[in-house]
Amino acid sequence: MNILGDLNNITDPLDFKDTKVPKLFEIDSLLRCHICKEFLSAPMLTNCGHTFCSVCIRKYLIHTPKCPICSKELRESNLCRNVLLEQTVLSYKNLRPDLLENLQIPKEIPQISNSESKEQDVEVIENIDDDDDVVIIEEPKKRKSEANNIGQLFKKQKEKQPGKDKSRCPICQKIFHRDILEQTTHIDTCSPKSEHDSSSLPNSSLSPSSPKKKQDLQTRSSTSNQNSPAPSSISFHFQPKEPTTDLKKLTKLDFSSLSNSALKQRLTKLELPVTGTRNQMEARYNEYLILWNANCDSINPKNPKILRKSLSQWENSLKFKNNSGDDKQLDKNSWNQLISQAKKSALKVKKDNKDEEDDEKNDTNVDLKGNDEVQETNDPDESFPELKTSSQEQFFNA
Amino acid sequence: MPPRVNTAQRRLLKEYQQLTKDSPEGIVAGPVSPQDTPYENGVFPARLTFPTDYPLSPPKLVFTPAILHPNIYANGEVCISILHPPGDDPHQYERAEERWSPVQNVEKILLSVISMLSEPNIESGANIDACKLWRDDRKEFERTVRRDVRRSLGL
């Protein structure tokens, strides 16, 4: 159950399926690693033109020196960093929650939609562009009190009252259609005013992370400084940062020529535990080698502490494997439903084909036998022959 | 970072989420036996076992109980190329691009199983008896399979 509880933390491209721009699905998929399906972390380009997370491809190449996509021969030394892509992914990752929130389709179409249908279309398109106009158009639906800013003067004739169906989110202070607040998880996921404050104000609603927005901010900094209270709270994650070069990659060890104590020395030097058998220590070194070298490929390398933590998580997951005896039960009801559905359609097909099948004596015999079995075990819980039930349990335990 | 969820589990959760949110045609909770084959309407329980280094290594698919099919061993284990890692090739005729790679996923496996059910691959048979039966006495083969189908439904 622990694992299923984490389902909410798992993002996947289909999150965009029910938004105003479902096509964002594509870019969301493209920025993910084919192996782990997460956003690319320290992406590495192969000489056949494919890209994977540094960790993922390094682990894979250990036992299969081929590209996972096209099966062309590939060695670790052929891998090449892709800095621009890493920056793109970082930027997109930061932008994603904002995108999802802004592109949500309200459950009920607001009453104003008739007169504003044209405007809504514009909004959809421009939201993708991250164009500032979006904010201005949205403005009338938001706070009324900010009459002093330019955006609102611009579109003042279009201003609308925050109708009776709208209310303010108690956490981020933005105004939403009431249905959004009541029926979606917005309140659970939105952040307190302090973080979002700037984005609810028209001129400063530049999310911290998009390069285009950054440019916008710079070119128009004179106007926006006057009107937005907190430009200083905006931080940019990717000042075109050049890769740090002071991290040295670890080299593979020739374990056969290494004594126990020498291996322990190596591990201690890396602040790794020296517990366990020789095999465990070797495996630990090899795993850490991958984590470390992949970390060197990243433009923001993590602290070695974090690497050591993931290493110990990895070791724990190996232990976990050994005592995975009791597994969770699947939903028995849905299984039974599936069976009964299939039964119905099977019976229907049989009726249709009855004339054709009449001459097959064997079949008829089996049918009769089958019917007997059903009658004997009429109890809904045990509506299958014994053989079936036992296999069903096996399935659930899988 | 959620505790105790490793790469394999995270990836499986993602795949589970995708399969439930946007299941490909022909797949309900599992694959639906293809129409116009003797397996039509059958409900065959099977167990997918994932290794801890998934997706680097392929999962194993076992029908429980085994069903009669040229590409399913007598113990129920499914023998199709997508479930074989590119490293070892016991049969020497599978092309590398058909084999398992971390780029494949559960969805592709399920689709392969559907196509396996409709078009058995006799050249790489796992169950020799089933292969013979399929080749020499198709009627008897289909009759046996239909009997399995009815048994699977408790009819």
Side-chain angles (χ1 to χ4, degrees):
Chain A
M1 282 325 276
N2 218 349
I3 296 166
L4 287 180
D6 285 321
L7 208 57
N8 294 329
N9 297 331
I10 308 260
T11 67
D12 88 297
L14 285 172
D15 292 344
F16 285 101
K17 200 181 158 201
D18 299 320
T19 64
K20 293 177 189 166
V21 193
K23 280 243 165 184
L24 280 172
F25 167 87
E26 289 176 11
I27 189 102
D28 201 275
S29 325
L30 290 173
L31 294 178
R32 287 167 187 268
C33 167
H34 287 282
I35 298 180
C36 65
K37 306 286 180 195
E38 305 278 349
F39 288 114
L40 286 159
S41 117
M44 298 302 269
L45 186 64
T46 67
N47 47 5
C48 47
H50 298 112
T51 309
F52 308 91
C53 294
S54 185
V55 173
C56 298
I57 189 66
R58 283 171 191 276
K59 279 187 184 171
Y60 182 73
L61 291 180
I62 290 178
H63 50 82
T64 320
K66 284 177 181 171
C67 170
I69 293 181
C70 65
S71 314
K72 282 203 179 121
E73 198 177 299
L74 180 65
R75 312 248 157 220
E76 249 186 290
S77 52
N78 300 137
L79 296 174
C80 181
R81 303 174 53 193
N82 194 337
V83 176
L84 175 64
L85 183 58
E86 183 168 12
Q87 290 167 336
T88 313
V89 171
L90 279 179
S91 158
Y92 175 74
K93 258 166 88 178
N94 285 317
L95 194 63
R96 194 174 186 274
D98 275 1
L99 272 180
L100 274 175
E101 193 181 311
N102 284 313
L103 297 181
Q104 231 175 43
I105 299 174
K107 283 204 173 164
E108 233 174 74
I109 302 157
Q111 291 172 341
I112 48 174
S113 63
N114 269 346
S115 59
E116 277 191 342
S117 58
K118 211 176 171 186
E119 200 175 300
Q120 296 246 336
D121 289 344
V122 174
E123 191 178 314
V124 171
I125 297 159
E126 292 187 344
N127 255 337
I128 324 167
D129 292 339
D130 286 327
D131 198 301
D132 261 7
D133 288 353
V134 186
V135 182
I136 295 164
I137 292 168
E138 277 178 346
E139 169 57 24
K141 296 178 205 161
K142 291 186 179 171
R143 270 187 274 183
K144 208 190 153 195
S145 59
E146 289 147 15
N148 58 338
N149 65 56
I150 293 176
Q152 210 172 18
L153 292 172
F154 219 74
K155 294 265 176 177
K156 201 164 184 183
Q157 67 274 23
K158 286 194 177 179
E159 187 169 346
K160 295 251 168 10
Q161 302 275 346
K164 59 178 179 180
D165 287 335
K166 309 271 172 81
S167 40
R168 196 182 293 270
C169 166
I171 298 165
C172 68
Q173 304 291 330
K174 285 192 208 169
I175 299 208
F176 288 95
H177 196 263
R178 200 182 292 155
D179 289 340
I180 297 183
L181 288 178
E182 285 172 3
Q183 287 164 21
T184 69
T185 57
H186 167 78
I187 291 188
D188 300 330
T189 53
C190 87
S191 358
K193 192 185 173 194
S194 55
E195 284 172 36
H196 265 268
D197 196 24
S198 57
S199 67
S200 66
L201 296 173
N203 272 336
S204 59
S205 72
L206 309 162
S207 137
S209 43
S210 138
K212 185 163 188 292
K213 284 179 177 176
K214 184 187 162 189
Q215 280 176 2
D216 286 352
L217 182 70
Q218 282 169 344
T219 51
R220 297 175 304 104
S221 59
S222 54
T223 47
S224 72
N225 276 346
Q226 284 164 12
N227 292 298
S228 68
S232 58
S233 70
I234 297 172
S235 65
F236 298 102
H237 285 253
F238 54 96
Q239 305 289 345
K241 183 176 171 181
E242 265 320 295
T244 39
T245 42
D246 51 345
L247 283 174
K248 263 199 177 168
K249 292 205 171 169
L250 293 175
T251 47
K252 280 183 183 153
L253 292 182
D254 177 18
F255 289 118
S256 56
S257 66
L258 208 63
S259 72
N260 255 350
S261 59
L263 176 59
K264 280 185 182 174
Q265 252 178 19
R266 294 263 186 174
L267 290 173
T268 322
K269 214 174 150 191
L270 296 168
E271 299 178 52
L272 299 180
V274 288
T275 52
T277 62
R278 168 90 188 190
N279 280 343
Q280 281 170 329
M281 283 193 289
E282 288 179 6
R284 189 179 299 142
Y285 181 87
N286 282 336
E287 178 77 10
Y288 192 69
L289 173 97
I290 292 171
L291 293 177
W292 177 273
N293 287 352
N295 196 37
C296 296
D297 293 325
S298 170
I299 51 170
N300 330 307
K302 294 177 202 149
N303 189 313
K305 263 187 197 166
I306 299 177
L307 296 187
R308 287 195 289 270
K309 205 175 157 194
S310 5
L311 180 72
S312 78
Q313 267 176 358
W314 170 79
E315 280 197 52
N316 285 336
S317 74
L318 290 186
K319 284 175 205 157
F320 187 64
K321 166 181 116 186
N322 296 332
N323 54 17
S324 59
D326 31 75
D327 295 321
K328 54 188 176 293
Q329 289 261 320
L330 284 185
D331 187 1
K332 207 166 182 172
N333 277 341
S334 52
W335 177 257
N336 285 342
Q337 237 171 13
L338 189 67
I339 295 267
S340 61
Q341 257 178 27
K343 238 188 220 175
K344 264 185 211 160
S345 54
L347 286 174
K348 201 180 155 217
V349 170
K350 209 156 73 183
K351 259 186 200 166
D352 297 344
N353 295 344
K354 206 179 174 186
D355 297 335
E356 298 165 31
E357 282 188 12
D358 266 349
D359 54 338
E360 290 185 43
K361 271 186 184 176
N362 278 343
D363 268 6
T364 326
N365 282 340
V366 177
D367 281 354
L368 287 176
K369 202 184 155 212
N371 283 338
D372 283 347
E373 280 173 341
V374 173
Q375 278 166 2
E376 277 166 17
T377 57
N378 229 353
D379 189 325
D381 282 340
E382 300 189 359
S383 52
F384 315 113
E386 263 177 43
L387 180 69
K388 176 73 206 129
T389 321
S390 65
S391 67
Q392 193 190 338
E393 273 162 12
Q394 281 171 15
F395 177 79
F396 289 135
N397 289 334
Chain B
M1 191 72 185
R4 260 203 263 141
V5 178
N6 60 28
T7 319
Q9 289 166 327
R10 286 183 72 83
R11 173 158 155 165
L12 280 171
L13 279 174
K14 268 180 212 293
E15 289 193 37
Y16 174 73
Q17 215 173 21
Q18 284 211 353
L19 276 175
T20 45
K21 270 195 204 162
D22 189 23
S23 36
E25 206 174 322
I27 291 183
V28 192
V32 172
S33 324
Q35 289 188 354
D36 301 325
T37 71
Y39 298 98
E40 190 177 353
N41 291 314
V43 176
F44 306 107
R47 187 195 302 164
L48 263 175
T49 317
F50 294 92
T52 43
D53 63 348
Y54 179 82
L56 299 184
S57 310
K60 223 165 102 175
L61 181 63
V62 181
F63 276 97
T64 55
I67 58 180
L68 183 76
H69 188 283
N71 302 111
I72 300 177
Y73 287 105
N75 64 3
E77 193 176 334
V78 176
C79 172
I80 46 178
S81 56
I82 194 177
L83 292 174
H84 299 150
D88 59 309
D89 186 356
H91 310 291
Q92 299 294 323
Y93 44 72
E94 287 166 350
R95 279 178 298 154
E97 56 268 31
E98 292 171 346
R99 314 275 288 278
W100 176 259
S101 115
V103 180
Q104 308 288 12
N105 54 29
V106 175
E107 182 184 327
K108 298 237 181 74
I109 295 177
L110 296 182
L111 289 172
S112 302
V113 169
I114 292 183
S115 85
M116 172 196 82
L117 288 179
S118 43
E119 288 166 31
N121 179 359
I122 291 299
E123 286 158 32
S124 65
N127 184 337
I128 302 300
D129 294 338
C131 282
K132 269 192 196 154
L133 202 58
W134 190 85
R135 200 185 49 206
D136 303 336
D137 191 354
R138 190 70 60 85
K139 265 205 162 164
E140 174 62 22
F141 175 83
E142 292 184 354
R143 194 176 297 141
T144 319
V145 170
R146 284 210 198 90
R147 199 185 59 213
D148 281 351
V149 168
R150 271 192 296 276
R151 205 165 53 194
S152 83
L153 298 178
L155 291 175

